[in-house]
Amino acid sequence: MNPSIEIQLIALVTAAACAIPGVFLVLRKMALISDAISHSILPGIVIGFMITQDLASPWLILLAAISGIITVVLVEMIQKTGLVKEDTAIGLVFPALFSIGVILIAQNANDVHLDVDAVLLGELAFAPFDRLFYEGTDLGPKALWIISGILLLTISLMLAFYKELKLSTFDIGLSSALGFSPVILHYGLMSVASVTTVAAFDAVGAILVVALMITPAATAYLLTTDLRKMILLSLLFGMGSAIGGYWLAHWLDASISGSITTVLGLLFLGVYLFAPSKGLIAVLLRQNRQRKEVSLLTFLLHLNNHDSKEERHVAHLQEHINWQKVRAKSVLDLAVQNNMITIENQVVSLTRKGLEFTEKALEYIITNKDEKIEAMKDDFFLFRG
Amino acid sequence: MDITQYFTDYTLRTITLGTAVLGAICGMLGSFAVLRKESLLGDAISHAALPGIAIAFLITGAKDSNVLLLGALVSGLIGIWWIRGIVSKTHLKTDTALGLILSLFFGFGMLLLTYIQKQPNANQAGLDKYLFGQAATLVESDVILMSVITGISFLVLLLFWKEFKLLLFDQDYAMTLGFNTKFIDGLISFFIVVAIVIGLQTVGVVLMSAMLLAPAAAARQWTNSLSVMVLLAAIFGMFSGVFGTAISSSQPNLSTGPVIVLVAAVFVVFSFIFSPGRGILFKQIRLLRNRRELELQKTLYFMYSIVRKHDDISRPHAIRILNNFQGFTKNTLSKLEQKHWITVKGNTWSLTDSGFETASNLYNTNNPLV
């Protein structure tokens, strides 16, 4: 196989392996655990290297995964004391472990060919050089085998425990009442995240692992609230960015990890801006409309309370309610469009529809009962959605 | 290692001063980050500063650290602004937003750095010192700049003290009082980003978050007052810097940044255990004391329930009859006697008047036992 295809395959499989645990991390509000693990595995790797003097030893991966799980346990312990919040606990644990790792490397700098940069940043382009041989036959890059194994493990675990995971993610109380142990699920998920991080950091670096875990899931979460769809979309986004990023790097002659992250970033930016109902533009439009509608409602209530012509004069809107010209006009237009008011000689009066509407609204405001607005939902967009 | 070296050795003095100032400003502003439950903001922003450094270098082609830090500042501010945007406009939570910005900006920064490295420009070496920090590169002008920034942020903190405080603890109330919460919020975010950016050069991207929150988390354990906490955090941060530099300079091959972080971690562990109000040690002691107190009260009440059936409350009873009750030991009896609730004679005990009185009020919620 040529290296280009091998690199793309590794990127693809890594993206898939990260995306699945990432979905659950994002949904459980534990996205930053992946960041913490990706840093705090450093001492595990260094100690493993000091023992075995071999960067390819499986001990390194094992020790790194263990230090990942130690991170999770420490965070949990600190949080249990109630002295600080969870995020502070995370922020205290991983820099300390990372510092220990950096100091260990520096202390043994003479005989350790271990670079902090390499651990953190990774270089996908080098992954195909480390190959797996069986009785002299070249079986392909080692990283591809490791990460594929982890992907298979992740997928089978997810399929086996899908409903438990789903339930404990969305309703931890119910799931523990039904007898699923939240602790086992928590640590199971954390172990998968930790092992995936360890396996992936070697090939793509710590930061890309974080990006591959969080970004596809977050992007998918802006598009759907269905867990199944969210997982599929995350896989799609992660794997798509892996391929796109590879070619971007190829074109720019730059870091592959960096360009995959950049593609992920652009993808997220696009969805963040343009997602149909949860994107920034959609949200801003909706907020703007709702603000206008609230103004309209205020205005109608005002009309309802005041009969005198002078109170109902168009100019009065600007004087009395202190609305700017643009806002006053847009509110008036909206009201006219909806046949709520008529304007004669600059004097506004409520139509029958407007009157009815205002009274219903008033009733709703006074009683605050949901059934009062049910009937209004159809002829007024304020309450829609 | 000689103490006079601090005053004679130029490099050591500069680094010590620099890390002390850095620790102070980080502790001061970190308190706000921690109290706003944004502890990992430092981590996210310090990563988000990387593309700014790279772009500043690409634009100017110069390695002037002030220009690069300006780039870092701009990109950090964009990062924090986007984080706030994600949190307020979508249903994604703070942790996701932080992780997103952290990894995406950093990855983009890496892309730019590797792109720069391929450029035919020999001047790019050393950009990566921002990743891991190098306190040794601090020079006097850096320390002066850091001191000036610390001074400014301290003044702003004093000037807007009540606004900051109000925003921290009751944002809605601040809004109803007519404060421009957006402005105050932006101001504090701005200064947090500034603190992070000036720390990049010294302790690096990864360890910056610890500088920001460890002193604050330690200080939080000793006080419930914001002003004391900010002050303590600044002091803890300062000492972390000074001690960390001292320890790392006493041995070869000890990088300053990680040592400072570990010293700060020691402060945290010490505070978690030994702080009188919240610390684990005193909490445990209080728990044990309460448990013993409860045990005594249970014994007393059991005695009371025996005595109550008799007319004469001071009539002695055999100690033996307490045996079926678990809370009874020699120790509890002598404790009860010390409190003058009972008198013990030989193998018998009898309730005193005050013991009877106390016991009869024991479970009366209107008369909490003193």
Side-chain angles (χ1 to χ4, degrees):
Chain A
M1 244 191 304
N2 84 42
S4 151
I5 294 179
E6 281 178 356
I7 293 173
Q8 290 182 61
L9 262 180
I10 296 172
L12 208 63
V13 178
T14 310
C18 290
I20 296 173
V23 168
F24 293 100
L25 290 184
V26 165
L27 287 175
R28 286 163 170 251
K29 306 182 191 78
M30 297 190 301
L32 284 165
I33 274 283
S34 61
D35 179 42
I37 291 174
S38 69
H39 287 94
S40 55
I41 55 182
L42 187 64
I45 294 167
V46 180
I47 292 170
F49 183 82
M50 279 157 60
I51 295 170
T52 62
Q53 294 293 319
D54 173 18
L55 262 182
S57 161
W59 281 102
L60 259 67
I61 293 192
L62 190 72
L63 281 170
I66 290 175
S67 52
I69 293 165
I70 289 176
T71 313
V72 177
V73 174
L74 280 177
V75 168
E76 200 90 339
M77 266 171 55
I78 293 183
Q79 208 190 327
K80 281 249 171 68
T81 64
L83 295 173
V84 286
K85 299 276 180 302
E86 180 177 14
D87 58 332
T88 313
I90 295 176
L92 289 173
V93 170
F94 85 85
L97 287 174
F98 187 80
S99 298
I100 292 172
V102 173
I103 289 174
L104 281 177
I105 290 182
Q107 287 289 291
N108 302 280
N110 297 331
D111 50 319
V112 176
H113 293 283
L114 194 59
D115 211 350
V116 188
D117 307 40
V119 175
L120 269 193
L121 313 174
E123 184 50 79
L124 205 50
F126 298 150
F129 294 128
D130 188 13
R131 308 190 74 83
L132 189 70
F133 289 100
Y134 180 72
E135 291 179 357
T137 342
D138 186 355
L139 294 177
K142 205 185 255 171
L144 186 58
W145 283 97
I146 294 175
I147 199 77
S148 302
I150 286 165
L151 174 62
L152 277 180
L153 183 78
T154 309
I155 291 178
S156 40
L157 279 175
M158 186 193 64
L159 292 178
F161 296 104
Y162 184 77
K163 67 170 188 303
E164 285 86 349
L165 269 174
K166 188 172 176 177
L167 195 59
S168 75
T169 299
F170 295 113
D171 192 339
I172 191 138
L174 180 61
S175 85
S176 47
L178 288 178
F180 305 139
S181 164
V183 177
I184 291 178
L185 279 170
H186 176 77
Y187 282 107
L189 185 64
M190 286 302 147
S191 306
V192 169
S194 180
V195 170
T196 312
T197 309
V198 172
F201 96 91
D202 185 30
V204 299
I207 298 302
L208 181 55
V209 176
V210 181
L212 279 176
M213 280 203 180
I214 301 177
T215 320
T219 315
Y221 199 19
L222 288 180
L223 292 171
T224 179
T225 46
D226 180 320
L227 180 61
R228 209 175 287 264
K229 273 190 203 145
M230 188 172 159
I231 293 173
L232 289 177
L233 275 177
S234 314
L235 284 170
L236 192 75
F237 290 147
M239 291 159 83
S241 308
I243 300 300
Y246 173 80
W247 289 106
L248 178 69
H250 191 79
W251 177 59
L252 283 176
D253 191 18
S255 145
I256 301 178
S257 307
S259 23
I260 294 179
T261 319
T262 306
V263 173
L264 279 169
L266 292 175
L267 198 68
F268 174 74
L269 179 63
V271 172
Y272 171 70
L273 290 179
F274 302 112
S277 68
K278 291 165 195 156
L280 183 66
I281 292 174
V283 168
L284 286 179
L285 284 177
R286 190 167 54 234
Q287 282 181 349
N288 186 29
R289 208 184 57 201
Q290 281 170 348
R291 203 171 299 133
K292 229 194 287 178
E293 285 167 358
V294 171
S295 307
L296 174 61
L297 193 59
T298 322
F299 174 55
L300 291 178
L301 289 171
H302 177 81
L303 284 181
N304 198 31
N305 281 345
H306 296 276
D307 289 329
S308 73
K309 274 205 172 145
E310 157 194 340
E311 289 276 355
R312 293 190 282 127
H313 197 272
V314 172
H316 164 75
L317 275 179
Q318 283 154 37
E319 285 163 20
H320 192 152
I321 316 187
N322 204 10
W323 283 345
Q324 302 305 312
K325 235 181 186 145
V326 182
R327 188 169 171 200
K329 187 167 175 350
S330 66
V331 169
L332 278 179
D333 287 347
L334 194 66
V336 173
Q337 270 167 30
N338 282 281
N339 291 327
M340 301 277 192
I341 55 166
T342 50
I343 304 177
E344 272 172 51
N345 296 331
Q346 299 288 76
V347 172
V348 185
S349 38
L350 280 172
T351 61
R352 178 188 288 275
K353 187 184 169 199
L355 204 63
E356 258 172 40
F357 177 82
T358 318
E359 248 137 45
K360 275 189 202 158
L362 208 56
E363 209 176 332
Y364 169 65
I365 292 167
I366 292 166
T367 61
N368 204 16
K369 277 183 187 152
D370 279 345
E371 63 263 23
K372 299 285 182 201
I373 61 165
E374 283 302 319
M376 288 158 67
K377 276 185 178 171
D378 291 330
D379 41 86
F380 200 46
F381 31 79
L382 178 63
F383 303 106
R384 247 179 254 156
Chain B
M1 187 62 213
D2 186 7
I3 196 80
T4 53
Q5 253 181 289
Y6 277 103
F7 305 101
T8 53
D9 186 312
Y10 170 80
T11 319
L12 194 58
R13 192 182 57 200
T14 314
I15 298 174
T16 308
L17 270 178
T19 49
V21 172
L22 176 71
I25 188 177
C26 282
M28 199 163 78
L29 295 166
S31 305
F32 288 89
V34 167
L35 290 174
R36 290 164 61 123
K37 301 183 188 71
E38 285 176 336
S39 301
L40 291 164
L41 199 67
D43 193 33
I45 299 307
S46 58
H47 283 82
L50 187 63
I53 293 173
I55 291 174
F57 178 79
L58 272 178
I59 294 174
T60 61
K63 219 171 54 193
D64 175 29
S65 76
N66 290 344
V67 173
L68 297 185
L69 288 183
L70 197 66
L73 180 66
V74 172
S75 131
L77 287 174
I78 294 174
I80 206 170
W81 176 70
W82 199 2
I83 289 172
R84 300 249 188 274
I86 292 173
V87 174
S88 68
K89 297 292 182 232
T90 73
H91 60 293
L92 297 177
K93 298 290 181 294
T94 315
D95 64 317
T96 309
L98 291 173
L100 274 170
I101 298 308
L102 177 157
S103 58
L104 294 179
F105 274 54
F106 194 75
F108 180 53
M110 280 319 300
L111 175 80
L112 291 173
L113 276 192
T114 49
Y115 178 75
I116 289 172
Q117 271 156 21
K118 300 276 161 58
Q119 298 289 302
N121 182 347
N123 204 13
Q124 83 274 19
L127 278 182
D128 59 341
K129 81 167 185 230
Y130 289 98
L131 294 186
F132 305 105
Q134 248 176 336
T137 59
L138 278 177
V139 291
E140 215 169 67
S141 65
D142 292 331
V143 178
I144 293 173
L145 179 73
M146 283 158 86
S147 311
V148 169
I149 292 174
T150 308
I152 294 173
S153 55
F154 184 66
L155 279 182
V156 171
L157 210 60
L158 284 183
L159 210 59
F160 289 93
W161 180 255
K162 70 172 185 302
E163 284 87 351
F164 283 152
K165 197 170 170 177
L166 193 57
L167 188 74
L168 204 55
F169 296 114
D170 199 338
Q171 183 161 6
D172 297 330
Y173 185 52
M175 220 182 286
T176 57
L177 285 184
F179 286 113
N180 187 347
T181 50
K182 254 191 190 150
F183 171 74
I184 305 166
D185 195 78
L187 202 63
I188 192 106
S189 303
F190 175 78
F191 277 102
I192 289 177
V193 176
V194 168
I196 291 165
V197 166
I198 63 168
L200 283 182
Q201 207 181 350
T202 315
V203 295
V205 165
V206 181
L207 301 176
M208 200 46 228
S209 64
M211 277 313 282
L212 203 60
L213 74 93
R220 172 70 189 94
Q221 309 312 322
W222 298 93
T223 175
N224 283 326
S225 142
L226 181 65
S227 47
V228 179
M229 178 178 165
V230 170
L231 201 69
L232 265 181
I235 292 170
F236 285 157
M238 211 162 73
F239 279 121
S240 306
V242 173
F243 291 154
T245 312
I247 293 170
S248 81
S249 64
S250 67
Q251 294 223 346
N253 285 336
L254 258 187
S255 356
T256 315
V259 177
I260 294 176
V261 169
L262 286 181
V263 172
V266 170
F267 274 116
V268 173
V269 172
F270 183 82
S271 307
F272 275 14
I273 297 176
F274 295 108
S275 92
R278 297 160 55 99
I280 298 168
L281 184 69
F282 288 98
K283 212 185 253 175
Q284 207 59 36
I285 290 174
R286 267 199 304 276
L287 192 74
L288 282 178
R289 195 183 293 153
N290 285 346
R291 193 173 289 162
R292 266 206 307 270
E293 185 75 9
L294 191 67
E295 220 157 67
L296 276 189
Q297 291 177 6
K298 269 159 71 186
T299 314
L300 181 69
Y301 196 74
F302 181 66
M303 292 167 162
Y304 169 74
S305 63
I306 296 170
V307 172
R308 201 164 44 173
K309 295 170 192 141
H310 303 275
D311 294 333
D312 177 16
I313 60 159
S314 56
R315 205 194 94 153
H317 293 269
I319 289 177
R320 198 161 34 79
I321 62 168
L322 295 173
N323 272 353
N324 59 352
F325 185 64
Q326 291 204 333
F328 146 71
T329 58
K330 249 193 188 124
N331 204 0
T332 39
L333 282 186
S334 64
K335 278 255 171 63
L336 285 168
E337 207 177 9
Q338 271 170 32
K339 289 181 183 253
H340 303 291
W341 283 344
I342 60 167
T343 48
V344 179
K345 262 184 210 150
N347 282 333
T348 60
W349 57 268
S350 57
L351 219 53
T352 62
D353 284 341
S354 90
F356 189 83
E357 180 90 4
T358 313
S360 63
N361 281 330
L362 208 50
Y363 296 109
N364 184 353
T365 47
N366 292 326
N367 287 318
L369 186 76
V370 184

